[in-house]
């Protein structure tokens, strides 16, 4: 059974910017139920269908399956709400890899950092660019941002 344990933080300043380019992501939701979501994600030349359960703190069930890119493009056209567009950067800090997402389109201006953990009790050294923790704030879930973009807050 797949379980995702993830903490999420707002990013402050510009110190986080890596020299390496990020990867372009487009994603949309085929199911917008708060208790479960079904997401299609196109990550440059790869695509995934992901099913997630409701969040319980930093933990939730997650199942992810590769799909052909052409199928992903067709599924993105079927999505229920707005698409999420972002660039993802992988940044190493204190022996861990952080995903930093810089949002575009209607979510322009939002930058979030996520770290996946082995357990909810893992100690994490925060990078200096990690701002307020928003793990438990549903407004920062991609599912919410698809329906209520950051620019409309």
């Amino acid at each position: 059974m797949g379980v995702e344990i993830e903490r999420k933080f707002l990013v402050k300043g510009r110190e986080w910017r890596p020299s390496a380019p990020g990867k372009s992501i487009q994603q949309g939701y085929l199911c917008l139920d708060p208790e479960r979501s079904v997401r299609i994600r196109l990550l440059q030349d790869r695509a995934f269908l992901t099913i997630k359960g409701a969040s319980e703190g930093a933990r939730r069930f997650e199942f992810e399956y590769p799909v052909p890119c052409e199928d992903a493009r067709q599924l993105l056209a079927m999505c229920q709400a707005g698409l999420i567009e972002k660039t993802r950067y992988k940044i190493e800090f204190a022996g861990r890899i952080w995903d930093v997402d810089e949002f575009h389109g209607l979510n322009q201006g939002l930058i979030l950092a996520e770290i996946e953990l082995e357990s909810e009790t893992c100690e994490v050294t925060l990078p200096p660019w990690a701002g307020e923790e928003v793990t438990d704030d549903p407004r920062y879930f991609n599912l919410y941002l698809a329906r209520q973009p950051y620019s409309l807050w």
Side-chain angles (χ1 to χ4, degrees):
M1 183 176 314
V3 175
E4 173 185 61
I5 301 170
E6 175 181 88
R7 291 178 64 192
K8 192 178 288 201
F9 299 83
L10 294 174
V11 173
K12 59 184 182 182
R14 299 186 56 77
E15 298 170 20
W16 66 272
R17 288 205 178 271
S19 56
K23 293 192 176 186
S24 172
I25 295 175
Q26 287 184 306
Q27 70 184 44
Y29 291 87
L30 297 162
C31 173
L32 295 169
D33 188 310
E35 296 300 312
R36 68 200 56 80
S37 66
V38 179
R39 173 185 80 197
I40 188 70
R41 175 180 277 176
L42 186 59
L43 176 64
Q44 300 204 169
D45 60 346
R46 299 180 309 153
F48 302 92
L49 181 70
T50 306
I51 302 151
K52 293 188 178 192
S55 292
E56 297 175 14
R59 171 188 292 264
R60 66 179 159 184
F61 291 112
E62 176 183 68
F63 305 91
E64 188 166 79
Y65 308 97
V67 297
C69 288
E70 186 52 39
D71 290 1
R73 287 183 192 90
Q74 290 179 18
L75 289 167
L76 282 168
M78 296 170 49
C79 289
Q80 294 182 316
L83 294 181
I84 297 288
E85 300 170 277
K86 58 188 176 180
T87 302
R88 174 161 287 171
Y89 301 90
K90 300 278 188 185
I91 301 175
E92 190 275 329
F93 183 83
R96 291 190 178 271
I97 301 296
W98 290 73
D99 289 337
V100 176
D101 290 340
E102 183 174 23
F103 289 81
H104 308 293
L106 291 175
N107 289 298
Q108 182 77 33
L110 179 61
I111 304 173
L112 293 173
E114 303 174 346
I115 186 157
E116 291 202 18
L117 304 169
E118 302 80 34
S119 76
E120 292 175 271
T121 59
C122 277
E123 291 293 321
V124 177
T125 302
L126 298 180
W129 38 263
E132 176 187 353
E133 182 165 7
V134 294
T135 300
D136 295 323
D137 188 339
R139 294 177 305 159
Y140 294 98
F141 295 174
N142 285 308
L143 178 65
Y144 185 90
L145 292 168
R147 291 183 292 188
Q148 296 293 324
Y150 183 68
S151 65
L152 302 179
W153 295 7

